[in-house]
Amino acid sequence: ADGIQQVDVSIFELLLEGGIYIMAPLALMSMIAIYVFIERTLAIRKAEKVAPDFMDKIRDYISQGSFDSARNLCQDSDTPMARMLDKGISRIGKDLKDISVAIENIGKLEIYNLEKNLSSLATVAGAAPMVGFLGTVIGMVKVFTAITTHGVGNPTVLAGGIAEALITTAAGLTVAIPSLIGYRYYRSRVDTLVVDMEKEAIKLVEALHALRRLLVRAAGLC
């Protein structure tokens, strides 16, 4: 419409309206979230690279008594699942309960490594909106202070506080929403990996049970 002047404001200038003391922590949180996104994507993708026939080969080696070949296969794979199975195979010859405990212990360590930095992402998802709301409160305090000092006749003074209140809330949610989605997504992928590791650990123990029964049967025939 005539008489209305359009004002172009850059994103950077708009963010500065939120105040450095609020926007700086939010910027730091966004960088932490980006780092975790990249780091966990690479780590989980590497952990998921397990050959479809990996467990079949492990069971074949165990049934043939080729424990060194089974361990070499695990070490070449270099995944959390392979490291867990390698630990169990290295304990062959001991009681099956000891083998199960060794697998469980290394499994807990691998799960801890898979979950690394996810707590930071969850913290960002929870803290960013709170920081944004803090900026909102500060902005509204400035608005009421301006009203008390200048009255309601100076819209420029009032607009600054209102802009700060709205911008910090928007910035906090902008950081928090992707962080929360990312946390849920990576949490789901880790949970899937954990279930797969538990399944393969059970298969290994079953293969060892079968090997022991075979050895006992062979000893009985001798």
Side-chain angles (χ1 to χ4, degrees):
D2 295 340
I4 298 178
Q5 184 177 3
Q6 183 176 356
V7 178
D8 294 327
V9 181
S10 69
I11 297 295
F12 180 74
E13 291 174 346
L14 192 63
L15 292 176
L16 288 180
E17 291 290 332
I20 188 66
Y21 296 110
I22 297 297
M23 300 308 293
L26 289 175
L28 177 61
M29 290 181 190
S30 67
M31 288 188 287
I32 292 173
I34 292 171
Y35 167 76
V36 175
F37 286 153
I38 297 173
E39 189 271 337
R40 283 296 86 192
T41 296
L42 297 176
I44 294 176
R45 186 176 297 171
K46 180 180 178 181
E48 291 173 335
K49 287 185 177 180
V50 180
D53 59 345
F54 173 76
M55 195 60 208
D56 291 334
K57 289 182 178 179
I58 292 293
R59 284 187 292 186
D60 288 341
Y61 284 137
I62 290 176
S63 64
Q64 296 165 9
S66 302
F67 304 134
D68 289 338
S69 297
R71 293 199 65 188
N72 289 335
L73 180 62
C74 291
Q75 291 165 6
D76 290 340
S77 179
D78 191 28
T79 62
M81 183 184 298
R83 288 190 289 271
M84 181 185 67
L85 297 180
D86 179 51
K87 185 66 175 180
I89 297 169
S90 70
R91 309 280 289 187
I92 288 178
K94 298 187 177 182
D95 187 75
L96 285 178
K97 183 177 180 181
D98 292 337
I99 296 175
S100 298
V101 170
I103 293 174
E104 182 179 352
N105 289 337
I106 195 67
K108 289 178 180 178
L109 179 60
E110 293 296 339
I111 292 170
Y112 172 80
N113 290 330
L114 288 171
E115 294 175 342
K116 182 181 177 182
N117 292 329
L118 288 185
S119 60
S120 299
L121 203 57
T123 300
V124 170
M130 298 298 101
V131 174
F133 293 151
L134 176 61
T136 299
V137 173
I138 293 173
M140 295 310 298
V141 168
K142 289 182 178 180
V143 169
F144 290 119
T145 301
I147 292 175
T148 302
T149 305
H150 304 284
V152 295
N154 190 342
T156 303
V157 176
L158 299 179
I162 295 174
E164 180 176 342
L166 296 177
I167 290 169
T168 56
T169 298
L173 293 175
T174 300
V175 174
I177 292 173
S179 298
L180 179 60
I181 294 173
Y183 172 77
R184 297 295 185 187
Y185 171 70
Y186 291 121
R187 179 78 264 174
S188 174
R189 289 181 67 176
V190 169
D191 289 344
T192 300
L193 276 171
V194 170
V195 171
D196 291 340
M197 289 169 62
E198 290 175 348
K199 289 179 179 178
E200 301 310 319
I202 292 172
K203 290 179 181 179
L204 175 62
V205 173
E206 289 176 347
L208 295 178
H209 271 295
L211 177 62
R212 172 164 291 189
R213 287 196 298 268
L214 182 63
L215 293 175
V216 171
R217 189 179 305 163
L221 294 176
C222 291

